[in-house]
Amino acid sequence: MKRLFYIPVVALLFSSCELNELPKAGATEDDIFGSESGLKNYSNSFYRNITSGSDAYKGDAMADYSAVNSLNDFMVGGAYSAEISSGWSWTTLRNINQLIAKCNSPKLSDAIKNNYIGLARFFRAWFYYEKVVRFGDVPWVDHPLAVDETDILKAPRDSREAVMKHIMEDLDFAYANITNTGGDGSTVNKWTALGLKTRIALFEGTFRKYHKLNLATQPEVFFQMAVDAGKILMENGPYGLNISADPKTSQRQLFTSNTPVTKEVMLAVTFSKDLALLNDANWWWTSATYGPRLSLVRPFINSFLNVDGTPYTDRPNFQTEEFYEECQNRDLRLSQLIRTPGYSRNGQPAPPNFASFTYTGYQPIKYTLDDPYYDNGGYNTNAVPLMRYAEILLNYAEAKQELGTFNEADWSKTIGALRSRAGITSGTNTLPTKVDTYLKNTFFPEVNNPVLLEIRRERQVELALEGFRFNDLKRWKLGPLMANLPWTGIYIPALDKLIDIDHNGTPDVVFYDGSKSAPSITVPAGVAKVAIGGKSTNFQTMTSDNHLEWFKAVKRTWDDNNKQYLYPIPSAAIVLNGNLTQNPGWSK
């Protein structure tokens, strides 16, 4: 099995570190750019430079709903600065532009050349999208620079408006010229280009709208781009939602399969035990020391609907339901996202592990394999999706609703289809008419439209832990959630009480007053003992209404005066090019 980011030797011959470095070649240009095999080998190197599998399954380590063992410097007031900022790297761009500039051999047909130029422009669009998301205005460079092009090397940043225009042109060219229309899920095809266009256009349209950017191209233009691209893909592409024989596994199967489930997965990183190409998803997600012990938080878990389509928070006693009760009759994606009652590993019950992992009780399983063998190192072989059809449905639905043209038929084939797969039995074919006040007040206070509110609910549920959340909050201008969403957990009926979390007849955990040395009751072997408060270093506390709370003692910060919606330009880059200006709020 091929891993997506395999790096051919011939491609490395043209690697470089800066925009103005000359490539070091060990093969002739004709060997590389004068044959289809050379172009294929060279273009394969681009895959390693887009979001990696590791980035995908670790992508929500910094999100409002992710309680972790230590805060990223970006979330601690004054800890992040231009001196430690990163991401201002252009090696990838130079390698891409090399192919675009040199793919002109008369020995090759225009179709072959345009196919590989289309691939290069797809990767250039992805590269620049990530730069715009991180920094805003960035220098646009469309060819490999020579050492004497100081007018470009020392130029100011180009405007966001100009760069986004070029990104869309690149994606249109890629869609029109890439010849691959299918594949094994690990390579880019023409439909992947359309999918990326929906992602980028939706991001840019909402960012411009909610940040009130006064730019020439209005948000509605980008919303229409996302709708048009999504419509073509939905009507003509080869993809659909994965529906397995067991609806309780249809979604999670996409993240635990060794090969991409090509019915839905449009692009993935693949791995192989035979080739010693493995990932460490289990180790990262189930280690007490290696990963961040990421636990999901109760406000987010509360956003999962009941299986009958009603809000969970409409249950009269939802705040005092114990873990077992709150997991009953819920959206089936909940049991595919976290350990819920009935979850097992190697045939043994596996409730949330308070002894060495979870802080809140909501322990993720989305990317992990169920055999504990994989927990102790980089042993995973499961493919990691980077783009899937479900995202396209969500992008299309949100963009169309932002345009005001979303209708009942659109709901049925997008949000309704996703909810049907998740076992939800009602409301899948009719537009919502009632605002869920809990969802609005907790996450989206500025949203009064019930349809848009439910589309956003569906996005956060369906794409949980897939690396979209931070960017979604940024484009909706909801950064304060990063600082203010409570990191609360399951309801605890009493301290010094043995609790059978999954109701399988065996106690799993006891919570006790941390000011004491131990629980006041006899605790059987194998039962986790969790101290609540008491020590200055103990970040496990409990709310006044008896819910676990994590890290309340450490203040998370967010400067909503636009500062943290962009990262600072690294100070070293400004030293090299004095014409670069710093992003607002960040000092040089």
Side-chain angles (χ1 to χ4, degrees):
M1 182 190 305
K2 180 190 71 178
R3 183 184 179 187
L4 180 61
F5 298 133
Y6 169 70
I7 309 167
V9 173
V10 70
L12 292 178
L13 299 175
F14 278 81
S15 65
S16 62
C17 295
E18 299 294 343
L19 284 171
N20 64 339
E21 278 193 16
L22 293 174
K24 299 175 183 179
T28 68
E29 288 190 3
D30 191 57
D31 291 334
I32 299 169
F33 303 113
S35 70
E36 187 170 6
S37 62
L39 289 171
K40 181 178 180 179
N41 282 337
Y42 188 94
S43 62
N44 278 345
S45 72
F46 300 154
Y47 286 92
R48 69 189 171 100
N49 295 313
I50 62 172
T51 305
S52 71
S54 174
D55 291 338
Y57 64 77
K58 299 176 182 178
D60 278 352
M62 188 173 71
D64 60 325
Y65 55 46
S66 299
V68 291
N69 57 10
S70 62
L71 295 182
N72 188 296
D73 283 349
F74 200 70
M75 296 306 302
V76 180
Y80 201 88
S81 67
E83 283 69 32
I84 63 173
S85 186
S86 61
W88 197 262
S89 173
W90 304 92
T91 304
T92 299
L93 177 63
R94 179 170 178 80
N95 291 341
I96 291 169
N97 282 339
Q98 284 281 355
L99 187 147
I100 295 171
K102 296 181 181 298
C103 188
N104 52 23
S105 173
K107 296 188 294 185
L108 298 173
S109 69
D110 288 344
I112 290 174
K113 287 184 285 190
N114 286 338
N115 171 63
Y116 287 100
I117 292 172
L119 280 171
R121 293 183 70 170
F122 169 89
F123 286 107
R124 186 167 68 181
W126 192 315
F127 171 88
Y128 263 111
Y129 165 60
E130 292 188 338
K131 286 291 186 281
V132 170
V133 168
R134 189 171 181 88
F135 298 114
D137 296 349
V138 290
W140 174 264
V141 179
D142 62 1
H143 64 281
L145 294 181
V147 292
D148 60 350
E149 292 185 83
T150 54
D151 57 326
I152 299 176
L153 291 167
K154 298 294 185 181
R157 293 188 280 170
D158 289 293
S159 70
R160 185 184 193 112
E161 177 78 8
V163 175
M164 289 305 304
K165 178 176 181 292
H166 291 311
I167 287 173
M168 292 304 167
E169 290 170 348
D170 276 353
L171 289 173
D172 287 342
F173 185 93
Y175 169 67
N177 289 280
I178 293 174
T179 55
N180 182 17
T181 59
D184 60 3
S186 68
T187 52
V188 170
N189 60 39
K190 67 189 301 99
W191 308 111
T192 322
L194 277 183
L196 186 58
K197 187 174 182 179
T198 70
R199 179 185 295 181
I200 297 175
L202 177 64
F203 179 92
E204 190 61 16
T206 47
F207 196 95
R208 293 186 184 209
K209 175 180 178 177
Y210 293 106
H211 290 261
K212 298 180 173 58
L213 299 187
N214 186 23
L215 299 176
T217 305
Q218 295 299 300
E220 290 74 19
V221 174
F222 287 97
F223 295 143
Q224 193 63 56
M225 288 180 187
V227 168
D228 292 344
K231 186 173 188 292
I232 294 171
L233 200 160
M234 291 160 64
E235 292 181 352
N236 302 292
Y239 302 104
L241 294 178
N242 178 57
I243 309 293
S244 67
D246 184 356
K248 295 179 180 179
T249 64
S250 290
Q251 192 209 45
R252 187 169 175 239
Q253 187 180 69
L254 304 171
F255 301 90
T256 58
S257 173
N258 278 353
T259 58
V261 181
T262 54
K263 172 68 176 176
E264 181 170 343
V265 175
M266 299 172 62
L267 187 62
V269 187
T270 57
F271 301 90
S272 169
K273 185 175 182 179
D274 292 339
L275 297 176
L277 297 172
L278 303 168
N279 72 69
D280 61 4
N282 272 56
W283 193 22
W284 195 80
W285 283 101
T286 59
S287 170
T289 55
Y290 175 60
R293 295 182 64 171
L294 193 157
S295 306
L296 291 168
V297 301
R298 184 173 176 82
F300 170 67
I301 298 298
N302 286 346
S303 71
F304 282 72
L305 296 170
N306 294 318
V307 75
D308 65 2
T310 60
Y312 167 70
T313 50
D314 282 358
R315 294 189 191 182
N317 301 312
F318 83 94
Q319 285 286 35
T320 54
E321 284 192 338
E322 294 186 43
F323 181 71
Y324 180 86
E325 283 75 26
E326 72 170 304
C327 292
Q328 304 307 305
N329 302 312
R330 301 288 294 277
D331 180 327
L332 294 179
R333 286 170 293 192
L334 183 61
S335 62
Q336 298 173 78
L337 177 66
I338 62 171
R339 294 188 181 192
T340 54
Y343 174 72
S344 63
R345 310 190 80 197
N346 283 358
Q348 299 299 313
N353 183 354
F354 282 97
S356 62
F357 188 82
T358 188
Y359 298 119
T360 65
Y362 305 117
Q363 181 173 346
I365 61 170
K366 192 167 190 173
Y367 291 97
T368 59
L369 301 177
D370 293 336
D371 188 339
Y373 159 80
Y374 297 97
D375 295 351
N376 300 312
Y379 304 140
N380 283 58
T381 55
N382 45 318
V384 178
L386 302 180
M387 181 186 295
R388 57 190 182 94
Y389 186 68
E391 182 207 341
I392 310 308
L393 298 182
L394 291 163
N395 295 345
Y396 176 85
E398 186 179 343
K400 210 162 192 290
Q401 176 60 29
E402 289 285 5
L403 286 171
T405 60
F406 190 73
N407 58 36
E408 204 159 77
D410 296 322
W411 175 273
S412 296
K413 67 187 179 185
T414 56
I415 308 305
L418 289 164
R419 291 186 175 180
S420 293
R421 176 175 62 179
I424 293 174
T425 58
S426 65
T428 57
N429 295 311
T430 55
L431 290 172
T433 58
K434 180 183 176 182
V435 167
D436 178 355
T437 54
Y438 179 89
L439 186 69
K440 171 183 168 61
N441 294 339
T442 305
F443 291 101
F444 310 114
E446 302 301 318
V447 177
N448 296 306
N449 183 290
V451 178
L452 182 58
L453 195 63
E454 292 301 322
I455 290 171
R456 288 196 182 180
R457 182 206 301 271
E458 193 64 21
R459 185 175 183 91
Q460 70 183 36
V461 166
E462 177 66 31
L463 300 180
L465 301 180
E466 294 182 45
F468 292 95
R469 184 63 174 181
F470 186 48
N471 285 345
D472 283 346
L473 295 182
K474 289 199 295 184
R475 66 187 177 90
W476 293 326
K477 208 174 189 295
L478 290 174
L481 279 171
M482 295 290 294
N484 301 327
L485 188 72
W487 281 3
T488 51
I490 66 173
Y491 175 74
I492 305 301
L495 299 181
D496 291 309
K497 175 185 177 181
L498 296 176
I499 299 176
D500 179 3
I501 291 287
D502 56 358
H503 284 205
N504 73 333
T506 304
D508 304 298
V509 63
V510 59
F511 299 92
Y512 68 96
D513 185 344
S515 64
K516 301 176 181 179
S517 60
S520 62
I521 61 173
T522 300
V523 180
V527 174
K529 293 179 284 188
V530 180
I532 301 296
K535 299 176 182 178
S536 61
T537 57
N538 190 337
F539 298 118
Q540 187 75 76
T541 54
M542 195 157 64
T543 65
S544 60
D545 60 354
N546 284 31
H547 288 88
L548 292 178
E549 187 163 24
W550 176 249
F551 237 75
K552 186 178 182 179
V554 178
K555 183 176 176 58
R556 292 174 279 145
T557 60
W558 186 269
D559 181 345
D560 203 43
N561 190 27
N562 289 324
K563 175 180 178 179
Q564 284 177 274
Y565 290 103
L566 296 173
Y567 278 77
I569 308 299
S571 57
I574 295 178
V575 170
L576 291 173
N577 179 3
N579 290 315
L580 292 177
T581 55
Q582 186 55 274
N583 279 326
W586 300 99
S587 63
K588 282 191 176 183

